[in-house]
Amino acid sequence: MSDDAVLKRIKIIVKEHGGQLALANAISVDQGFISKVINKKQDISYYLIRKLCFQLKYSPEWLILGTGDKMIHKQDSAKLITEIQMLRTEVDILHARMRAYELQLQEIIQQAEGSQQKAG
């Protein structure tokens, strides 16, 4: 997920709702929170993404990936779709973290092997 691409779509949502204050009121968050995200002083949180998707019916696929319809049109399925997309995103994050840990482990192993070669 590219933060810049998601941020671009969040800015579209801000504009569609008449500004940061109106958007903040619509999703029951502080306007300062929206401002910090827009100005890159705070990371885009899954809390914000979930609120935008569940409360305002934006498609998680559109918001996160930039694909598909912008809005969720079926009210009954909105919550389920949002939860599924959030779980998929969390799985992607866990995979990325696992890969990072694997790389760190490989680096530690290489350092240990280098230390053994110097000692031996």
Side-chain angles (χ1 to χ4, degrees), residues 52-113:
L52 293 171
C53 295
F54 182 64
Q55 290 181 249
L56 300 181
K57 308 296 187 242
Y58 284 95
S59 164
E61 182 181 355
W62 174 79
L63 183 56
I64 296 168
L65 303 174
T67 60
D69 292 334
K70 184 192 296 187
M71 303 300 291
I72 298 171
H73 302 290
K74 295 180 182 177
Q75 269 191 343
D76 296 339
S77 64
K79 183 177 180 181
L80 180 59
I81 291 170
T82 301
E83 293 299 325
I84 290 169
Q85 289 291 348
M86 295 306 294
L87 288 171
R88 286 176 54 187
T89 302
E90 288 178 27
V91 167
D92 290 344
I93 290 169
L94 290 172
H95 280 243
R97 286 182 181 164
M98 284 175 43
R99 181 67 184 138
Y101 290 138
E102 288 171 355
L103 293 172
Q104 288 176 343
L105 180 60
Q106 287 176 356
E107 186 176 309
I108 291 168
I109 291 170
Q110 289 173 354
Q111 288 174 352
E113 288 172 351

Side-chain angles (χ1 to χ4, degrees), residues 37-54:
V37 170
I38 296 295
N39 293 305
K40 296 183 178 184
K41 294 182 179 179
Q42 183 166 334
D43 290 336
I44 299 168
S45 67
Y46 290 98
Y47 170 78
L48 175 60
I49 290 172
R50 187 177 188 283
K51 283 193 159 283
L52 293 171
C53 295
F54 182 64

